[in-house]
């Protein structure tokens, strides 16, 4: 998987840009969405939310987008009550 290769290269070079890691984690989460691997999708998307929050603070649009992506994962699984917690 290219997302994991990108992550490995960043880690090997000790790249300090947390925003880039957040983007990659979100992309990995989306790939797991496509595979219907919900626990893994939520794990990686959650890591993206944490990193975006750390970099930008909780009220930044990138954080809101990442949180919305978590909601979309729940929506894909027809877990609408949980999806609403993230999408409202």
């Amino acid at each position: 998987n290219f997302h994991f290769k990108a992550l490995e290269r960043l880690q090997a070079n000790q790249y300090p840009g947390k925003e880039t890691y957040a983007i990659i984690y979100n992309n990995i989460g989306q790939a797991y969405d496509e595979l219907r691997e919900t626990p893994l999708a939520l794990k990686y998307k959650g890591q993206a939310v944490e990193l975006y929050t750390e970099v930008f603070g909780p009220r930044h649009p990138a954080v809101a987008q990442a949180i919305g992506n978590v909601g979309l994962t729940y929506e894909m699984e027809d877990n609408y009550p949980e999806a609403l917690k993230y999408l409202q």
Side-chain angles (χ1 to χ4, degrees), residues 8-16 21:
E8 287 172 8
R9 287 188 182 177
L10 288 174
Q11 290 169 335
N13 293 317
Q14 297 178 341
Y15 183 77
Y21 284 100

Side-chain angles (χ1 to χ4, degrees), residues 10-65:
L10 288 174
Q11 290 169 335
N13 293 317
Q14 297 178 341
Y15 183 77
K18 290 183 181 180
E19 180 183 1
T20 302
Y21 284 100
I23 292 167
I24 292 171
Y25 285 139
N26 186 67
N27 290 344
I28 291 170
Q30 289 179 314
Y32 278 121
D33 274 342
E34 295 298 319
L35 296 171
R36 300 300 241 190
E37 296 283 345
T38 301
L40 289 171
L42 291 172
K43 172 188 171 184
Y44 285 100
K45 288 183 177 188
Q47 288 176 313
V49 171
E50 289 176 17
L51 286 174
Y52 278 130
T53 303
E54 189 177 320
V55 171
F56 297 120
R59 300 186 61 79
H60 192 275
V63 176
Q65 178 71 42

Side-chain angles (χ1 to χ4, degrees), residues 55-76:
V55 171
F56 297 120
R59 300 186 61 79
H60 192 275
V63 176
Q65 178 71 42
I67 291 170
N69 289 338
V70 173
L72 293 175
T73 297
Y74 283 113
E75 183 180 17
M76 287 177 62

